[in-house]
Amino acid sequence: MTSVRKLSFRVLGGLILIFLLFVVFVPIVEFSDPLGTAILDCEGRLLGAATASDGQWRFGAPEEIPGKFRHALLEFEDHRFDSHPGIDPLAMARALFQDLKAGAIVSGGSTITMQTVRLSRHGRPRTLREKAVECLLALRLELSHSKNEILRTYAGYAPFGGNIVGLEAAAWRYFGRSARDLSWAESATLAVLPNAPALIHPGRRPEALLRRRNALLNRLHQRNLLDEVALELAQAEPLPGPPRPLPRLAPHLLDRARREIPGGGIVTTTLDLETQRRLSAILTRHHRTLKENSIDHLAALVAHTDSGKVLAYVGNVGRLGDQGAQVDIITAPRSSGSILKPFLFATMLSDAEILPEELVPDIPTRIGGFAPRNFDRHFSGAVPASVALSRSLNVPAVRMLRSHGIARFADLLRSLGLTTLFRPADDYGLSLILGGAEVTLWEMTALYAGLGRTAIGSRAQEEQGGGGEGERGGEGSALGESHLTTDFRPLSWKIEATQKGSPSPFDAGVAFTTLEALLEVSRPESDASWKNFASSQRVAWKTGTSYGFRDAWAIGVTPEYVVGVWAGNADGEGRPGLTGHSAAAPVLFSIFDTLPSGPFFDEPELEMRELEICAHSGLRAGQDCGEIRIATVPASCLPGRTCPYCRKVHLDSSGRYRVDGGCETIATMIHRSFFILPPALAAEYAQRHPDYRPLPPWRKDCRSEENEDRISCLYPDNGAEIYVPLELHGRRGRFVAEAAHADPRGIIFWHLDHHYLGRTRGEHRMSLAPEPGRHLLTLVDGDGTTLLRRFKVLRRAENTMSP
């Protein structure tokens, strides 16, 4: 008994050893064949595909095997697949008998597992030795993979004729749809193809293919998988013709997928096929108009505001054969134009540097050698900050950036997700806000979505009943809680991708106020009267035009959607009329017209406060402000600067002249509030506001000793160093000095180094031709008010810029 037990242990030990040696030394077959790339929309519909590097339509193992194909394949190839260990002795015995009877190899008896092994070994000769190797490898494969995994691998690498490899590639090429949507007849057709793809290639030998397909359908019927009616209908279906061309609905996204997923395969995207088709049609239609002005390229994308998932992606539309149309503009860095302005406005609101309706200067400005101009070449003197944003005025934006700080703003943009700002802030300078930096349509659309998401976040917070009066950002406050539900994150185009973002630096009040200002941006002519129609879509949007008319931008956002549009030439060639308003904006609103409309962003009441502001300056009302109104502003803007422009003035009994206690009794004085801007602002402001009243003159017998700021020198600044280039023939060059007077009708007398130059009225500009050295510019008005400016003219252009 003992010897029998010992023998049993030895046998068992030997079997275990053999098994271990088998597991360790017999390799698991792997597939290293290169894969092509196919992109699907969110519902699994094909958007486009590209072959593998070897020219094969091969996309790897599908995620699942459709039931109809599984039944058809197993019935045709290996109906004991689910029960055998990788080899089927009964099938091999049957094959041996058939081969001996025929006197040739007519059946191999291979299981699907063995066929999978054979596919991985790339057409080795069918010898007895190779068959033995296949059996061994099949057993090893079954030990390491589930039946479903083996079946998926076979379906992904089986040949289906020509350069078509794999189930999904065959379904798309032969039937124009995914394998999961195939009928019984179509599934049976594909099930019989791998057995002899060269012999019964669709379109070449239809009779042989038809016989095999119908025979398989009969067998499926016998197994009660099809009833009589289904069998009759399936056998009546026609066979597929030659392979079909695959769609190219998103070619630039396909190229992007190939770059970002070098291994290839089937990629399910967030896109919606119907939205993609509509977007392509809209861009194609508008491109026909734009190309008449040699504006050759157009790009756009549509995404959900809350999730950032992209619904449609058209990287470029161009002329047939145009190489520039191959460029994916959505990811290509381009000059930003004015599309960064809303984020400067928002951050200055958030940091309590401005109030939404606060007047900001819009006057001729020169900072070093930089002299920004508004697009229309006009100035308004002073405009509310929100109006400066909606009108996209360049001069106020530059002055606001200078006040806020270039480095601070650049850091903010990077934190929001701009990856193209790789240079130091000083390299960009103040032109950063006007297009001095490069951005991508992909990242800018994400930034506008983040702004919208921030505004939406408060609504969710209010619906949950959160909030309170607490301090800004404090624990448990509405402002602090909303930051937990909002963020700035990249857009996503892959269905499984989860993009992580950074908390929004703005609260919902700031985001809403910024978007409300963008609602007032003047729309293109076709939509100019949109406010007259209750059904019009309310869109917060912004345009941008780069220097030299090279890039035209338009980005719009609603609570549901964000849309970004770019128009221009991929090679950077500028064109007259290539502006955001004329080239990109009409495309933007054509896109929004096809999207479901909804309400505008809700005002976040918990993060807004009522504030008494001066009706003239938009600042917190002071004690001398005569006209006051209630405004709703973001809580983060508070307390806000008190209005410095309103002052109480003492007039005589006629109200025409100013007086003081030295020449008029208090009892006879009239005390009136006046809104008085500094001279530099007042000159331009008065031309556009007929109701603006300058201070009355002093009565002749009554002159106050107070120092009045009635003259302002716009250029040169005090202590400025200027290089004036020589003109032709060596003559000394000239530059233009500029001033402003508080009284639009005021006269200024100009003196240079105590030499009288002349006088000006209205527009105060004087051409000067000083020699190198130090100089004194003296300005005197008709009332004797005097202003002095000292400056130096350099002999060489060193460490400065010419005016």
Side-chain angles (χ1 to χ4, degrees), residues 71-149:
H71 285 300
L73 179 64
L74 296 188
E75 180 61 33
F76 185 76
E77 291 284 0
D78 187 359
H79 60 267
R80 284 186 291 273
F81 173 75
D82 290 322
S83 58
H84 64 62
I87 59 175
D88 187 349
L90 293 177
M92 296 185 73
R94 173 183 50 80
L96 179 61
F97 175 76
Q98 292 175 348
D99 293 344
L100 291 174
K101 184 178 180 180
I105 298 178
V106 295
S107 177
S110 295
T111 63
I112 286 179
T113 310
M114 293 172 64
Q115 293 183 51
T116 303
V117 169
R118 186 185 309 139
L119 291 173
S120 72
R121 293 171 65 78
H122 299 291
R124 298 287 183 93
R126 299 179 67 175
T127 63
L128 290 176
R129 181 180 181 279
E130 181 63 23
K131 179 70 71 173
V133 171
E134 288 177 6
C135 291
L136 195 64
L137 293 175
L139 291 171
R140 181 66 183 91
L141 185 61
E142 290 272 354
L143 285 174
S144 58
H145 290 77
S146 68
K147 290 287 186 178
N148 189 54
E149 289 173 335

Side-chain angles (χ1 to χ4, degrees), residues 315-497:
N316 206 334
V317 172
R319 294 173 298 180
L320 185 65
D322 178 10
Q323 291 298 316
Q326 306 303 314
V327 177
D328 185 358
I329 295 295
I330 288 177
T331 58
R334 310 291 301 195
S335 174
S336 62
S338 296
I339 55 175
L340 296 175
K341 290 176 181 175
F343 302 96
L344 176 62
F345 178 79
T347 192
M348 293 187 74
L349 288 178
S350 188
D351 293 344
E353 297 178 51
I354 59 170
L355 290 171
E357 298 181 51
E358 174 181 336
L359 288 181
V360 293
D362 181 25
I363 56 176
T365 300
R366 184 181 293 272
I367 304 169
F370 181 47
R373 292 287 186 268
N374 294 324
F375 188 79
D376 61 4
R377 302 291 179 177
H378 294 103
F379 301 97
S380 300
V383 293
S386 60
V387 174
L389 174 60
S390 64
R391 291 175 54 192
S392 195
L393 298 177
N394 293 335
V395 173
V398 168
R399 298 177 72 98
M400 289 167 66
L401 178 58
R402 187 186 190 191
S403 170
H404 179 73
I406 302 170
R408 285 177 63 195
F409 186 54
D411 288 343
L412 170 76
L413 295 175
R414 294 187 186 102
S415 72
L416 296 181
L418 287 190
T419 62
T420 51
L421 300 183
F422 54 86
R423 290 185 285 156
D426 289 342
D427 284 2
Y428 298 109
L430 293 171
S431 66
L432 172 63
I433 199 64
L434 303 183
E438 291 186 328
V439 298
T440 66
L441 185 59
W442 180 259
E443 292 182 347
M444 284 309 308
T445 305
L447 259 64
Y448 278 77
L451 200 59
R453 195 178 300 118
T454 301
I456 294 172
S458 175
R459 179 169 60 192
Q461 175 65 24
E462 291 175 20
E463 290 173 353
Q464 294 171 3
E469 291 293 328
E471 295 297 322
R472 178 172 181 256
E475 183 177 356
S477 73
L479 299 177
E481 288 293 326
S482 70
H483 281 196
L484 299 177
T485 58
T486 60
D487 64 359
F488 279 74
R489 71 175 80 107
L491 300 177
S492 59
W493 61 269
K494 289 177 283 190
I495 197 72
E496 73 281 359

Side-chain angles (χ1 to χ4, degrees), residues 673-751:
S673 176
F674 275 78
F675 169 62
I676 302 299
L677 290 170
L681 280 64
E684 298 284 354
Y685 187 86
Q687 295 182 30
R688 286 157 181 78
H689 296 81
D691 58 340
Y692 179 77
R693 296 178 300 163
L695 282 172
W698 286 97
R699 202 169 67 190
K700 291 184 179 180
D701 63 330
C702 184
R703 173 68 180 183
S704 174
E705 296 299 325
E706 67 181 65
N707 182 25
E708 292 189 343
D709 183 18
R710 295 175 58 81
I711 304 176
S712 176
C713 185
L714 303 178
Y715 186 76
D717 292 334
N718 199 37
E721 294 185 345
I722 303 170
Y723 173 68
V724 183
L726 295 177
E727 296 180 352
L728 294 175
H729 310 297
R731 289 182 299 181
R732 174 58 53 190
R734 309 179 74 86
F735 76 93
V736 176
E738 191 166 1
H741 197 280
D743 185 352
R745 296 163 297 179
I747 299 175
I748 295 180
F749 300 89
W750 297 72
H751 303 77

Side-chain angles (χ1 to χ4, degrees), residues 14 58 67 80 128 134 137 219 227 368 385 507 518 531 549 558 605 613 647 676 681 701 746 764 802:
R58 183 194 303 110
R80 284 186 291 273
L128 290 176
E134 288 177 6
L137 293 175
R219 289 162 61 182
D227 58 27
D507 61 50
L518 296 178
K531 291 184 178 180
F549 303 101
T558 69
E605 296 180 0
I613 65 170
R647 51 188 285 199
I676 302 299
L681 280 64
D701 63 330
H764 301 286
S802 60

